[in-house]
Amino acid sequence: MSALTIVALQVPSRFGAPEQMLGIVDAAIANVQGDCVLLPETILTGYISAAGFEDLSRFAELAFGPTERALAAIATARSITLIAPLIEQRGAAIFNTMVGFRPDGSVLFRYAKRHPWDPETWASQSDNPYPVFQLGTRQATLCICYDVHFLREEAVEALAQSDILFFPTAWVEMPDTRRELMVALAREHSLFVVNANWARGEVRVPGQGGSVILAPDGCVLAEVPEGARGPLAV
């Protein structure tokens, strides 16, 4: 990827311990070498507890709140571009958001999930356009988990402009169709696809693990086996 090393961090699931997860993520990042690190969807708060789907609105913060500041500090301390999740409050609405931080801690992009999955009853649907942002000499875009089913209709311009699709997930599905969807997108749009998925931990459900980085021809450049911990880099 021409002088750009991207890391997808696969982290074991834990629910309701965002400060502890920030420490786990920071320690994991300290042990990898990369220019850009992608975290899985909702990995700091957890997506599902051992009891099942939960209302994540209790973890919501305004933009530039304590979690966002902590993530910006990690990006700065590690001199990386960090793409990380945030349960974000905007007025009365709560969003499942990913925020990109530059190595100086400033915000590269902020994207709220356009299509929350049906059990995400706490999350509002956003009208944010799919972001397009610069990483070195590359252009990139991003979608969050269930958004992937709508890209062909909604993200034509973003995909056409991009070399890389970042795809953070907390995937819950059996059989797992994630790889099939990613390979098709890579080939159709000549994209590198970078998927960071949550791993088995306190919560164990179908669809965990299997984070992967694909080449534009759909071939695997790096992957983490199901049930294993990341990271993976290319």
Side-chain angles (χ1 to χ4, degrees):
M1 261 193 196
S2 70
L4 177 66
T5 302
I6 292 175
V7 175
L9 199 64
Q10 181 168 297
V11 184
S13 61
R14 185 170 300 190
F15 187 81
E19 291 185 5
Q20 187 175 20
M21 287 304 299
L22 278 166
I24 290 170
V25 164
D26 187 33
I29 291 173
N31 290 322
V32 301
Q33 296 293 322
D35 303 299
C36 177
V37 176
L38 174 68
L39 301 185
E41 176 190 22
T42 67
I43 196 62
L44 300 179
T45 59
Y47 185 63
I48 303 174
S49 76
F53 287 97
E54 298 272 358
D55 182 350
L56 301 188
S57 60
R58 77 187 84 165
F59 304 115
E61 299 180 12
L62 297 173
F64 309 109
T67 298
E68 187 166 333
R69 292 196 300 271
L71 291 166
I74 291 173
T76 302
R78 306 301 178 193
S79 298
I80 57 169
T81 298
L82 176 63
I83 302 174
L86 183 70
I87 309 303
E88 184 183 15
Q89 183 173 354
R90 301 182 188 176
I94 307 297
F95 293 97
N96 182 345
T97 295
M98 295 295 292
V99 183
F101 300 92
R102 298 182 181 89
D104 64 2
S106 62
V107 172
L108 175 63
F109 70 87
R110 183 185 305 275
Y111 170 74
K113 192 174 185 179
R114 290 176 61 91
H115 298 280
W117 190 35
D118 291 346
E120 290 176 52
T121 55
W122 55 270
S124 296
Q125 184 173 347
S126 89
D127 59 0
N128 287 170
Y130 295 99
V132 176
F133 51 95
Q134 194 77 26
L135 282 177
T137 61
R138 304 281 186 171
Q139 291 262 99
T141 188
L142 174 142
C143 73
I144 303 173
C145 209
Y146 196 61
D147 283 337
V148 73
H149 298 290
F150 303 88
L151 288 185
R152 288 183 176 89
E153 295 76 30
E154 298 180 348
V156 175
E157 291 187 12
L159 293 170
Q161 295 175 49
S162 299
D163 307 298
I164 307 165
L165 171 64
F166 287 96
F167 184 40
T169 56
W171 202 261
V172 181
E173 183 187 50
M174 187 57 70
D176 187 347
T177 61
R178 181 171 27 122
R179 182 70 63 90
E180 177 184 341
L181 291 166
M182 289 188 290
V183 168
L185 284 166
R187 291 174 175 170
E188 289 171 17
H189 300 281
S190 192
L191 292 164
F192 292 92
V193 179
V194 182
N195 171 233
N197 192 38
W198 64 334
R200 294 176 181 174
E202 293 177 357
V203 179
R204 300 172 68 89
V205 296
Q208 291 175 298
S211 298
V212 67
I213 299 177
L214 300 178
D217 62 1
C219 291
V220 173
L221 295 175
E223 65 181 325
V224 181
E226 182 179 357
R229 302 185 181 191
L232 62 152
V234 64

